[in-house]
């Protein structure tokens, strides 16, 4: 299975290697920039130019949660390996860590001087990697919200 997002405001799940569309997600009002499966595989998260991060339940075939808080387009998203947290990177120069259980932003990471374009939790750690248009890469300890590098 492969996920994709596009300028058509949709995300699609594709069967591999046949290339057939298995399902399509409707709900974003601007381009979809990122898609990521929850470690359990039952849900996914998407990021969009509409400033939102959305969580989708594959068994219900719909959006179950919309996370709002970024002031500009969201460029990327990532699930923590425990499945309880989602991280997002935005052109508003911040990254956010969302607590899925409480459905709220747990932390906002400040430090980049330009758009944050990529974000990834390092597997089975509390370390988060961000990459920015300011030509820097940062490592964060998301438990203490401190920049490691």
């Amino acid at each position: 299975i492969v996920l994709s997002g596009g300028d058509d405001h949709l995300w699609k799940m594709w069967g591999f290697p046949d290339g057939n569309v298995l399902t399509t997600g409707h709900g974003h009002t601007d381009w979809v920039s990122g898609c990521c499966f929850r470690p359990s595989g039952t849900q996914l998260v998407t990021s969009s130019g509409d400033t939102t991060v959305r969580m989708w339940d594959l068994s219900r075939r719909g959006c179950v949660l919309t996370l709002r808080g970024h002031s500009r387009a969201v460029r990327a998203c990532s699930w923590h390996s425990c499945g309880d947290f989602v991280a997002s990177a935005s052109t508003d120069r911040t990254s956010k860590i969302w607590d899925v259980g409480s459905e709220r932003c747990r932390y906002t990471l400040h430090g980049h001087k330009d758009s944050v374009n990529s974000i990834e939790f390092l597997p089975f750690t509390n370390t988060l990697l961000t990459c920015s248009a300011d030509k820097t890469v940062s490592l964060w300890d998301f438990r203490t919200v401190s920049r490691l590098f």
Side-chain angles (χ1 to χ4, degrees), residues 95-116:
S95 299
K96 293 187 180 289
I97 298 171
W98 305 89
D99 183 324
V100 175
S102 68
E103 301 181 0
R104 67 176 182 84
C105 178
R106 170 77 61 95
Y107 305 113
T108 300
L109 307 177
H110 299 274
H112 286 293
K113 294 178 172 55
D114 206 342
S115 172
V116 185

Side-chain angles (χ1 to χ4, degrees), residues 56-78:
W56 308 81
D57 187 303
L58 299 175
S59 64
R60 290 197 226 162
R61 296 182 176 248
C63 178
V64 293
L65 178 62
T66 301
L67 300 168
R68 292 179 173 84
H70 284 292
S71 61
R72 297 186 67 194
V74 183
R75 302 281 297 171
C77 54
S78 175

Side-chain angles (χ1 to χ4, degrees), residues 27-45:
H28 282 293
T29 59
D30 207 338
W31 42 271
V32 177
S33 56
C35 306
C36 185
F37 279 109
R38 189 174 197 162
S40 65
T42 59
Q43 295 175 320
L44 62 98
V45 67

Side-chain angles (χ1 to χ4, degrees), residues 93 112-118 130-138:
R93 299 184 303 224
H112 286 293
K113 294 178 172 55
D114 206 342
S115 172
V116 185
N117 296 329
S118 182
T130 57
C131 302
S132 172
D134 66 13
K135 300 180 182 169
T136 64
V137 174
S138 293

